[in-house]
Amino acid sequence: MTPRRNPKRLALALAASALVAMVVFLSIPLRLDMAGFLPQGHNAATQFLLREVRGGVAASLITVGIEGAPDAELARISRQMQATLSEDPRFLLVLNGSFSLDDSPKMRDLLFEHRYQLARDAAVRDFSAQALTKGFEQVWDGLQSSAEPLVAAFALRDPTGAFWNVMRGLQPDVHARLQQGVWFASDTHRALMLLRTQAAGMDLAAQSLAQDAVQAAFAKTGPSNARLLLSGPAVFAVQSAHDMRHDIEMMSLISTLLVVAVLYWRFRSLWVLAAIGVPFLLSLSIAMVGVRLLFGYVHGIAFGFGMTMLGVSLDYPVLLIGHRDRGEGPQATLRRIGPSLRLAVTTATLGLTGMVLCGLPGLVQLGMFSAIGLLSAACVTLFLMPSLIVAADLAPSVSGPSAPLARAERFRRWRWICLIPVVGAMAVLVWRPLVAEKDLTALSPISASARSLDMALRRELGAPDSAHVIVVHAQSAQAVLEREEALTPLFTKLAQQKTLVGVEDAVHILPSIQQQHLNVQGLPDTATLAARVAQQQAGLPFKQDVFDQFVADVAKARTLPALTPSDLTGTPLAMALAPLLFERPDGWWGMILPEAVTDFSAVQAALTGQPDVMALDLNHEINALTAHHTTLTLKWTAVGSVLAFLVLVMGLRDARRLARVVCTVVATMVVLLAFLALRGAPVSLVHIVSLQFVLGIGLDYALFFARPQLDAAERARTIRTLLTCNVMTVLAFGLLGLCHTALLREIGVTVACGAFLFMLFSFILAGQYAPSAATDAT
């Protein structure tokens, strides 16, 4: 007697699963900044580099371009935006080339008072008779010119030009031309601005508001044909988060719709959809909770990848329902497919070892999310689902033998044909060998055109972005400044050897306390200087007391306390100093940026043995970081693959079945590698973990095709069920290929193609030869 159908338990299970998922999703927010995907670094150099990428001053810079209008209009817009944004507390620095000493009276007075301590040129502290005579004559010439008000205000108190020497040393090293009072690109009609935000570069909410303020300031300038261009790490971070959110929303919606459509087409039952929803919702919830406990947060990319796992984690309930005959008991189906299902779960999980153990936090989180999701989906399928689907009496709407499928199985008699694509793939790999990707930025979510614009704007504005950096570390700001001053003769020697051209460092802005004291030690006493001034101004048309304030200033300079970084707070100098001298939990750091380097190896050799100094080639460090994590990935991928093979040997215990499965794996992987080679894209560690992931999920198909199947009805159920699983996987991962996020896109394309090839080769190579119709009938 057929048991009475009772789907009530299934409905309650679905409602409970949905409630759990809702609570989890609402209580665990997603992290969308790319800093959450960056590694910690494997040595001191990469640890410093990656830490500064996350939270350094350079990450809070925004470069602005304004183009598309006449130069006069661009200059007007630039000045008006500068005035608006300078009053906005969200910005610490707003530069566009227009600067007046009256714009920052605090800085002007501070520099003028300490000019003899700060001036780099010793000539401005030369108060010999000859130097004073020359200075007085230049002052007189200035008083006769149109610059008379400025000369009267400053030069009479500073006849040797110490203040102007300080100001020249503080001019930003930009390549832009000054036109109509603002910066313009040297080779295009584009006005330029440089902004620094109050918020850190990875504070997405605050950065988004700051960029909205820039857009509003541009709109406030009135109607115009001009276009606003924004670039920089902060802009990229906000755009990446926006693109990531778009990808997640797209995948969540479209993946669900596609998979639901496939499942309904296959089973023609809403109750089946409800049953399959239980393991999916529970596995996704458990994965989110597990990742949150392990990492402290769930990244948006991991969640997006988890949504794509919809096409894989649903394989297990689909396999269970798809192989069940209506009216069959809860354990009968599992007795037929249980061993293959458990092997498939084990190998799929082992297929994530390279991802889990590669050392890159982002990929590790993807791997852990996937492993937890797969294992929890399998457990729910094996221990909860049988009773639910039996109570609801769920089974495929179409079952039994199929003539078209039986005819398709005849292709297995020509398995040797598979040699053609495999041999062709080998020829492709010989003709066009795979190239390893050595640059992590290849997977950046930023487009090549955006990166090109950013490089152009930074080059014009002289923003801190160099391929070569020299880093000084000490326990205090003064110790860093003293170390940089000690290195100055070495840099001078390297410049004479044409190894490097100029450097930008903190001591160009603020000498150490020790150096400031040395600068004023040689200043003459008041009586000596007064006598020289009186003697040298004799015969010149100056009033007798006109230089008295100059003498008083020099006397005061001898007793002034030295300037320190805290004294610059609230002035533009503090903003200029911040990228070059900063404090971190492990002490103070100084950045020395060479203007140009012809032989960086010679620079590194010259700095060898210098305590607490690192000479970093950023490209080399990133390549070394990539190589380090790629080596780890290959190592653990090999370990996982060997373990998966051992699991197959112990689980199958049949040499012929094992041989068919191994042949399927080899054929699939060779053709997939040839596909990657034909794409022309270098193979990165993301491709490596994707290949292992393909191996893990693809073995599902090979194992189920290779298992003993007694009749045509069972073989037909297997083909229909695996085809359903494969379509879901290919559609879900194929959808990733449309993402803006490069990491997801590369995983999606690789896994979708690999899953399709695995299905094809598994059907041909792993499946049994179809017996004759007479045998089936028997």
Side-chain angles (χ1 to χ4, degrees), residues 59 61-63 201 207 211 230-241 446:
L61 294 177
I62 298 176
T63 51
Q207 285 296 337
Q211 291 165 37
L230 298 181
S231 190
V235 176
F236 293 156
V238 172
Q239 184 61 47
S240 298
I446 311 305

Side-chain angles (χ1 to χ4, degrees), residues 89-165:
R90 284 171 288 206
F91 297 94
L92 294 173
L93 183 69
V94 181
L95 298 177
N96 70 340
S98 61
F99 178 76
S100 168
L101 290 174
D102 295 330
D103 292 341
S104 181
K106 178 181 178 181
M107 185 186 79
R108 177 198 62 201
D109 296 341
L110 194 69
L111 294 181
F112 191 80
E113 186 176 33
H114 292 264
R115 60 192 181 274
Y116 297 113
Q117 293 169 305
L118 302 178
R120 301 181 62 199
D121 189 353
V124 301
R125 290 182 289 273
D126 178 8
F127 298 140
S128 64
Q130 182 180 2
L132 288 175
T133 298
K134 181 179 179 181
F136 293 161
E137 289 174 350
Q138 290 175 343
V139 170
W140 178 252
D141 291 340
L143 290 171
Q144 309 308 307
S145 69
S146 59
E148 185 270 338
L150 197 61
V151 174
F154 294 100
L156 289 173
R157 295 177 59 182
D158 183 30
T160 59
F163 179 58
W164 301 114
N165 183 260

Side-chain angles (χ1 to χ4, degrees), residues 387-567:
S387 61
L388 295 179
I389 64 173
V390 169
D393 196 23
L394 302 180
S397 60
V398 178
S399 186
S402 166
L405 293 180
R407 287 194 295 271
E409 286 187 289
R410 295 174 188 169
F411 284 106
R412 292 174 184 156
R413 299 185 182 279
W414 291 278
R415 284 175 174 167
W416 60 269
I417 294 178
C418 291
L419 286 173
I420 297 175
V422 172
V423 172
M426 290 179 175
V428 167
L429 292 172
V430 172
W431 166 62
R432 194 168 184 172
L434 292 168
V435 178
E437 177 61 76
K438 298 181 180 180
D439 189 355
L440 279 177
T441 59
L443 294 177
S444 167
I446 311 305
S447 67
S449 60
R451 289 199 298 268
S452 177
L453 172 65
D454 183 62
M455 290 177 61
L457 293 178
R458 284 179 170 273
R459 184 174 59 252
E460 296 287 351
L461 290 169
D465 181 40
S466 174
H468 302 104
V469 177
I470 300 166
V471 183
V472 177
H473 180 224
Q475 292 307 306
S476 69
Q478 291 306 313
V480 171
L481 293 173
E482 290 171 10
R483 289 291 296 119
E484 291 187 359
E485 287 166 346
L487 291 172
T488 299
L490 176 60
F491 294 143
T492 302
K493 180 180 179 181
L494 291 172
Q496 292 171 349
Q497 296 171 352
K498 301 187 184 305
T499 300
L500 59 74
V501 179
V503 295
E504 181 182 356
D505 55 17
V507 293
H508 282 71
I509 299 173
L510 182 67
S512 68
I513 292 176
Q514 181 182 31
Q515 184 61 48
Q516 291 181 55
H517 286 323
L518 288 173
N519 287 344
V520 297
Q521 274 184 0
L523 296 179
D525 58 56
T526 303
T528 302
L529 181 60
R532 289 179 187 172
V533 168
Q535 180 181 2
Q536 300 310 313
Q537 79 174 79
L540 293 174
F542 289 112
K543 293 181 181 180
Q544 185 176 357
D545 60 351
V546 72
F547 292 112
D548 287 355
Q549 189 60 52
F550 160 56
V551 176
D553 286 350
V554 174
K556 184 179 181 181
R558 292 169 55 86
T559 61
L560 277 175
L563 282 180
T564 63
S566 60
D567 296 322

Side-chain angles (χ1 to χ4, degrees), residues 202-220:
M202 293 301 173
D203 185 345
L204 298 181
Q207 285 296 337
S208 181
L209 291 174
Q211 291 165 37
D212 289 343
V214 178
Q215 298 280 359
F218 176 72
K220 187 179 176 182

Side-chain angles (χ1 to χ4, degrees), residues 35-66:
F37 250 55
L38 294 175
Q40 297 300 317
H42 67 290
N43 57 28
T46 51
Q47 287 169 6
F48 168 81
L49 173 62
L50 292 167
R51 183 179 64 190
E52 292 309 303
V53 167
R54 289 183 181 90
V57 172
S60 63
L61 294 177
I62 298 176
T63 51
V64 180
I66 312 166

